[in-house]
Amino acid sequence: MKRSFGALLAWFSIVAVVLQFSGCSSSIEIASRKVDHPIRIDGKDDDWQGNLAYLKEKKLALGFYDDGSSLYLCMTTTDRQTQQQVLGTGLTVWFDSTGSEDKIVGIHFPLRAMGQGQPMDRERPSVDEGERQGPEEMQGMVEKLKGQMEIIGPEKDQQRKLLLPSSEGYDAKVDLHEGKLVYELQIPLMKTGDKGILGVGLDTPGLDKNRMPQPGGEAPGGMPPGGGPPGGGMGRGGPPGGGMGPGGGSRPSLPEALNVWLHVRLSSAKVTE
C-alpha cells in the first residue's frame, strides 16, 4: 500500500511539472525524491521509472534523487538532434546553490575530440549527417567518448578534469538504448538556502555553422578551397543549381542549442504553507 501511494504521488508530481512547463511561466520546478533504492550510474534508466518528468517543448525527460550526500540526475531523450548535440559537443549542467539561475558551477560531460568552441573534427559527422545515422553509427559515437568530465567554476576561468568514477563523489554515464539516449550524473550534494531549492541549468554549446566543414570540401565561411567564389555545383539532395543557401553553398541546418533552467526542490526541503 505504501509503495502504491508513493507511485501515485510521484505520478501527480510529474503531471504537475508537465502542466507547469506547458503554461506561460518560464520557471520549472521539479521535486527531487529521497533515494529509496541504489542508484547505479550506468547509462540506463531502470532506476528512474516513475521519477522522470517530460518537458514537451524541450523533447526530453528529467528526474532527480538525493540522499543527503549526493545529488543524482537523469535525462532521457529520443530526439535525434538533441542526441547529436549531447554526443557531439557535450552537455553542460549548471548549478546555483542559491536557487537562482546563475552559472556558478558547471559539469561538462561527455568529453570528446571536439571541445567547446573548437572546430569540428572532420572525421566526426556533421549534424546533418547525424540525422541519417543508424543505431550502429550512433552507438559508435558513444563508445568513443572519454571517461572523464570537466568541472567549471566556481571561480572565474577555473576548470579541471576528473577521471570517472571519481573518489570525490562525481560520476557520469551516457548510453543509447533502442533509440533513446540516457544521461546520468552524480555529484556531491551542495548546501542550499533555507528553502532547499537548487537552480539547475542544462545547455549544449551549439555548433558554429561558419566553422563547420562544408559539402564538397568547401572551407568554413562558405569559401571553396583556393579562394574562388562559391560555385554552382549540385547541392546535396537537390538538382544542379538548387538546394543552395546564400552565397551558393549548401550548408547543413543546425539545431538550436539546448538551454533550459529549472528549480529543483531537494527532498529535505521544508514545505511551507
Side-chain angles (χ1 to χ4, degrees), residues 233-244:
M234 179 180 293
R236 291 169 59 180
M244 295 185 178

Side-chain angles (χ1 to χ4, degrees), residues 117-185:
Q118 296 182 6
M120 177 177 287
D121 184 342
R122 297 184 70 90
E123 295 183 359
R124 300 269 68 82
S126 68
V127 173
D128 186 55
E129 292 168 342
E131 286 296 304
R132 294 190 294 275
Q133 284 189 322
E136 293 184 0
E137 288 81 5
M138 292 290 287
Q139 189 64 45
M141 294 178 66
V142 173
E143 294 173 357
K144 293 180 181 179
L145 298 175
K146 297 180 179 180
Q148 58 182 344
M149 67 169 55
E150 182 177 46
I151 301 178
I152 307 169
E155 303 298 328
K156 183 179 180 181
D157 298 326
Q158 182 180 11
Q159 298 180 3
R160 64 189 180 102
K161 292 182 180 180
L162 288 178
L163 293 176
L164 302 175
S166 166
S167 59
E168 299 180 34
Y170 294 88
D171 200 2
K173 182 74 173 182
V174 62
D175 208 344
L176 283 167
H177 305 278
E178 298 181 350
K180 177 170 62 176
L181 181 141
V182 178
Y183 174 105
E184 286 188 295
L185 175 67

Side-chain angles (χ1 to χ4, degrees), residues 94-271:
W94 296 98
F95 297 94
D96 183 347
S97 60
T98 68
S100 298
E101 299 180 358
D102 293 323
K103 296 181 177 181
I104 306 299
V105 176
I107 306 295
H108 185 66
F109 174 86
L111 301 181
R112 60 182 306 138
M114 184 185 68
Q116 285 181 277
Q118 296 182 6
M120 177 177 287
D121 184 342
R122 297 184 70 90
E123 295 183 359
R124 300 269 68 82
S126 68
V127 173
D128 186 55
E129 292 168 342
E131 286 296 304
R132 294 190 294 275
Q133 284 189 322
E136 293 184 0
E137 288 81 5
M138 292 290 287
Q139 189 64 45
M141 294 178 66
V142 173
E143 294 173 357
K144 293 180 181 179
L145 298 175
K146 297 180 179 180
Q148 58 182 344
M149 67 169 55
E150 182 177 46
I151 301 178
I152 307 169
E155 303 298 328
K156 183 179 180 181
D157 298 326
Q158 182 180 11
Q159 298 180 3
R160 64 189 180 102
K161 292 182 180 180
L162 288 178
L163 293 176
L164 302 175
S166 166
S167 59
E168 299 180 34
Y170 294 88
D171 200 2
K173 182 74 173 182
V174 62
D175 208 344
L176 283 167
H177 305 278
E178 298 181 350
K180 177 170 62 176
L181 181 141
V182 178
Y183 174 105
E184 286 188 295
L185 175 67
Q186 174 186 354
I187 67 166
L189 188 62
M190 300 177 179
K191 292 184 179 180
T192 61
D194 294 337
K195 294 183 178 180
I197 301 294
L198 186 65
V200 179
L202 290 81
D203 69 37
T204 52
L207 299 174
D208 187 349
K209 182 184 297 185
N210 293 323
R211 303 187 69 168
M212 291 177 59
Q214 302 302 320
E218 185 177 310
M223 185 67 70
M234 179 180 293
R236 291 169 59 180
M244 295 185 178
S250 175
R251 295 184 178 185
S253 58
L254 300 183
E256 183 178 352
L258 175 65
N259 187 355
V260 58
W261 273 94
L262 54 145
H263 299 145
V264 178
R265 182 179 295 275
L266 300 179
S267 64
S268 59
K270 298 180 181 179
V271 179

